[in-house]
Amino acid sequence: MKDTRENLIEVQGLKQYFTKTSGLLGRNVQYIKAVDNVSFYIKKGETLGLVGESGCGKSTTGRSLIKLYEPTAGKILFNGEDITNYNSKQMLPFRKRMQMVFQDPYASLDSRMTINEIIGEAIVTHGIATGKEKDERIFELLDKVGLMRDHASRYPHEFSGGQRQRVGIARALAVNPEFIICDEPISALDVSIQAQVINMLEDLQNDMGLTYLFIAHDLSMVKHISNRIGVMYLGNLVEIGGSDEVNNHPAHPYTEALLSAVPLPDPRLARERKRIVLQGDVPSPLNPPSGCPFRTRCSKCMKVCSEVKPELKEITPGHQVACHLY
Ligand code: SF4
């Protein structure tokens, strides 16, 4: 069935290049193509999962969306409004609407502040509430993320990793955002805690109508929470489609390899499945291969793959892949 919801996020041809200088007086300038011509949309109330090995550009994409970096090229639209070239003053109202949950729940909370101060800071900065009203709001947020009211007076070091991530989520929710970028929010947590945090994020999405970009390095983490999944490799989006479609009918050889590494609960199926082990490392984004960025590790590589860079092409409705096999 066609999803008729409006787009909250639209990214068109996003490029995020960083410069690296070397040589006498820094005259040699090279470009690190962290994100290279990436386009996608996220509909209101949906979750787009973004996966790929570390260094593939997924976190940089998330950070560019929220304007932590100034994009090198391309467009970012939020609810139809082009925010690509907005300065920090123009971005202020959007900071409230777009929030981020970080990977490391240890580093992302200031150890000198109480939980009340950490969550309250955003509430006061954005003029949402002060005094008793602010404290009430903090208690409500702690309830929402499954923490207790008396946790408000404690410091981050008094919590477990899972509890700290709950504080990070409460802080993101404090300003009533519409869109949250979850940047590997469960990667640093024990496996037993990961499912709890995913379930909580899903409940919050249903209650509050939130839209998520959920970034993770492995497909098993994103497939449960995502409506659609995008796969990135070396700064490029190589496949994107509905979560079931990408999981059941992966088209790009890189997606096939990632899926072959996902643990299967059924031991018989796990024994029968053939694991695709990728050879070599991800090439440097300073000097990416010609043609297809995946060609140096692809077992299906053809002559054309080193000559022409494949563009994303729709192979079934809503399922796009960038590969010369299609
Ligand atoms: Fe492999 Fe060629 Fe497809 Fe790239 S374009 S993934 S090298 S078959």
Side-chain angles (χ1 to χ4, degrees), residues 8 44-45 137 140-141 144-145 169-170 172-180 200-212:
L8 183 65
K44 287 182 181 171
R137 179 147 179 79
E140 273 172 36
L141 288 161
K144 263 193 198 319
V145 298
I169 293 167
L173 295 175
V175 294
N176 280 328
E178 292 157 64
F179 176 53
I180 301 185
M200 185 185 71
L201 285 168
E202 280 181 323
D203 291 344
L204 291 168
Q205 182 172 44
N206 293 335
D207 282 358
M208 303 171 75
L210 296 165
T211 303
Y212 293 143

Side-chain angles (χ1 to χ4, degrees), residues 35 51 54 83 105 140 143 147 150 165 178 192 236 261 292 312:
V35 178
V51 288
S54 70
I83 61 167
E140 273 172 36
D143 285 345
L147 293 172
D150 66 3
Q165 198 52 296
E178 292 157 64
S192 56
N236 295 265
C292 172
L312 271 181

Side-chain angles (χ1 to χ4, degrees), residues 252-253 292 294-295 298 300-302 305 310 323-325:
H252 197 281
C292 172
F294 187 58
R295 74 171 168 84
C298 180
K300 299 173 180 167
C301 183
M302 305 168 283
C305 303
C323 173
H324 290 306
L325 293 170

Side-chain angles (χ1 to χ4, degrees), residues 161-274:
Q163 287 175 319
R164 284 182 196 218
Q165 198 52 296
R166 287 173 191 267
V167 174
I169 293 167
R171 178 178 57 184
L173 295 175
V175 294
N176 280 328
E178 292 157 64
F179 176 53
I180 301 185
I181 297 173
C182 305
D183 189 5
E184 305 240 19
I186 56 171
S187 306
L189 305 180
D190 288 346
V191 176
S192 56
I193 309 294
Q194 290 179 348
Q196 289 176 15
V197 173
I198 291 270
N199 289 341
M200 185 185 71
L201 285 168
E202 280 181 323
D203 291 344
L204 291 168
Q205 182 172 44
N206 293 335
D207 282 358
M208 303 171 75
L210 296 165
T211 303
Y212 293 143
L213 177 67
F214 192 96
I215 297 167
H217 59 268
D218 90 68
L219 266 162
S220 60
M221 287 190 189
V222 298
K223 77 181 195 190
H224 296 294
I225 194 170
S226 305
N227 303 94
R228 290 183 302 121
I229 291 176
V231 181
M232 285 191 75
Y233 185 80
L234 205 59
N236 295 265
L237 190 63
V238 297
E239 181 160 6
I240 187 164
S243 178
D244 289 342
E245 177 70 9
V246 171
N247 272 288
N248 299 331
H249 308 288
H252 197 281
Y254 180 56
T255 315
E256 285 176 352
L258 287 182
L259 271 170
S260 81
V262 171
L264 293 176
D266 183 334
R268 190 180 56 82
L269 289 178
R271 267 196 308 277
E272 284 169 7
R273 183 178 60 182
K274 194 167 164 264

